Amino acid sequence: MISTERMRKLEVLVLARDIDAVLRFLGFAGCLQLIAEPSQPRELTPDERGIVDLDVKVAALCRFLGVDTTPPSGGAQPALDRETLTARAQQMLDEAQDLMDQEARLLALKLSLKQTADELEAFAHLRVAFSELEHLTYLAFRLGTVPAEKVASLTAALEKRALVVPLGRPGFIMAIASKKGRWALDSEMRAAGFHEAKFPAELKGVPSEVLPAVQASLAQTESALAAVADRKREFRDRRSGEIASIARQLALDVSIDTVKQGLSATGSVLKVSGWVPRRRFPETVEGLSTITGGRIAIRAWEPEEVPEVRAGTAKVP
């Protein structure tokens, strides 16, 4: 906080059980410039690590949905206690997880299908034996049969890694995957009872059924992505305010935990000191007294009363 306002130094002695509420109040009020004191860093507690993890995940959710987390104007906002905050944040993440997973899966599938379609299109009119195409492309091909009733389950199992194209008679298929995924392809094919067939020697170029099948799958995937985009929009419109509030509070709690590591303490009493604008001093002191139930000691100095300021070793914001 850089200000031309007249400032006062504030020093607060607070019980350890009240420190989170005090720092949260000061953080949301946005009126204190903390005076940092040198201290030994310590390991985060499990609770603090949990808050950091939730903060990262909720920030990712905000980016995914396009939620603006800029604090609204109008001063301090109502804050949830940490237990309620973590529960609400986890609930929000759980609600959005399926949507995030679906988009990630469909985007990966779209990229794979687009690369496959482009590769097949480039070789569609090349009059070489189809069995030789695998040596010319980044794709791996498998031709053969599986029990007809297993085609659907095989297609689903290979969805992220390969495309299964039915060819004429029931159970007769061609599977296409990237060469780096051919081991996983072969494993799934064996599990489905796949029997490989040799590519016909007279087969030249890409079979006529293959490229349209890939293009149709690509179109279906793009349509599914459009549906996911609609669901994202609906979710954002319905929950953006709550998500943004949770994101801001988590970010503040992470900052609070960072600040707590640098506070000097004696037993169960911690000291918080900093500069507060003179015009906001009465409301700040009143708020601190209220949230702690009076379990607080407060001292204040004018800038000219602070020895470090008089000595020139500290500056007033």
Side-chain angles (χ1 to χ4, degrees):
M1 171 171 53
I2 298 176
S3 175
T4 57
E5 290 190 70
R6 178 79 171 170
M7 308 290 280
R8 294 188 76 187
K9 183 181 178 182
L10 173 73
E11 182 180 279
V12 176
L13 298 179
V14 58
L15 295 176
R17 68 176 184 175
D18 294 324
I19 189 63
D20 280 1
V22 166
L23 292 176
R24 191 174 289 110
F25 169 80
L26 292 171
F28 275 108
C31 62
L32 177 77
Q33 178 163 315
L34 195 71
I35 297 175
E37 298 184 14
S39 63
Q40 283 293 107
R42 61 168 175 79
E43 290 290 324
L44 294 177
T45 66
D47 175 66
E48 290 168 346
R49 284 196 296 271
I51 286 292
V52 170
D53 183 55
L54 277 177
D55 178 53
V56 170
K57 290 178 178 178
V58 171
L61 176 60
C62 289
R63 291 192 297 272
F64 171 73
L65 294 171
V67 170
D68 182 10
T69 59
T70 303
S73 57
Q77 302 297 311
L80 302 172
D81 63 80
R82 182 162 290 198
E83 184 178 354
T84 303
L85 177 62
T86 55
R88 292 276 291 277
Q90 191 57 59
Q91 179 187 13
M92 192 71 64
L93 290 168
D94 291 343
E95 290 181 19
Q97 191 61 55
D98 180 62
L99 198 58
M100 297 175 75
D101 289 345
Q102 278 198 44
E103 184 180 79
R105 177 181 62 81
L106 288 170
L107 285 173
L109 180 59
K110 177 184 175 181
L111 177 62
S112 175
L113 288 170
K114 184 69 170 62
Q115 290 175 333
T116 300
D118 290 346
E119 194 83 354
L120 290 175
E121 198 164 19
F123 289 94
H125 304 294
L126 186 62
R127 308 313 294 171
V128 298
F130 185 75
S131 58
E132 295 298 314
L133 282 183
E134 190 165 329
H135 304 299
L136 303 175
T137 75
Y138 84 100
L139 301 172
F141 302 91
R142 298 293 183 266
L143 181 71
T145 59
V146 295
E149 67 274 12
K150 292 189 176 181
V151 172
S153 60
L154 177 63
T155 301
L158 288 171
E159 181 185 41
K160 295 182 181 179
R161 294 166 291 182
L163 178 70
V164 176
V165 182
L167 297 173
R169 67 180 185 272
F172 188 48
I173 61 169
M174 177 181 289
I176 308 169
S178 67
K179 284 181 178 175
K180 67 180 182 180
R182 64 184 181 274
W183 306 115
L185 170 65
D186 289 339
S187 177
E188 291 287 354
M189 299 281 276
R190 281 194 302 271
F194 175 69
H195 294 283
E196 190 165 10
K198 289 186 177 181
F199 291 102
E202 68 277 7
L203 181 60
K204 304 291 184 181
V206 178
S208 58
E209 305 99 317
V210 174
L211 183 56
V214 174
Q215 291 170 333
S217 293
L218 179 59
Q220 290 175 358
T221 302
E222 289 173 338
S223 177
L225 277 169
V228 167
D230 289 338
R231 288 177 57 201
K232 279 175 64 176
R233 203 159 30 245
E234 186 274 332
F235 192 91
R236 181 178 62 242
D237 293 344
R238 181 165 47 90
R239 307 300 290 274
S240 61
E242 184 178 3
I243 294 171
S245 176
I246 288 173
R248 288 192 295 269
Q249 291 182 63
L250 284 171
L252 179 61
D253 272 24
V254 170
S255 298
I256 286 171
D257 290 342
T258 302
V259 168
K260 281 161 58 178
Q261 292 193 56
L263 297 179
S264 60
T266 304
S268 62
V269 177
L270 294 94
K271 182 176 74 173
V272 181
S273 58
W275 295 95
V276 177
R278 172 187 282 273
R279 65 181 177 83
R280 298 194 61 184
F281 201 87
E283 69 182 78
T284 301
V285 170
E286 182 181 355
L288 289 171
S289 182
T290 299
I291 63 174
T292 60
R295 299 181 300 272
I296 195 167
I298 298 175
R299 300 174 65 192
W301 295 266
E302 297 296 335
E304 57 272 15
E305 296 174 334
V306 179
E308 294 84 358
V309 173
R310 291 202 307 266
T313 58
K315 292 185 178 180
V316 182

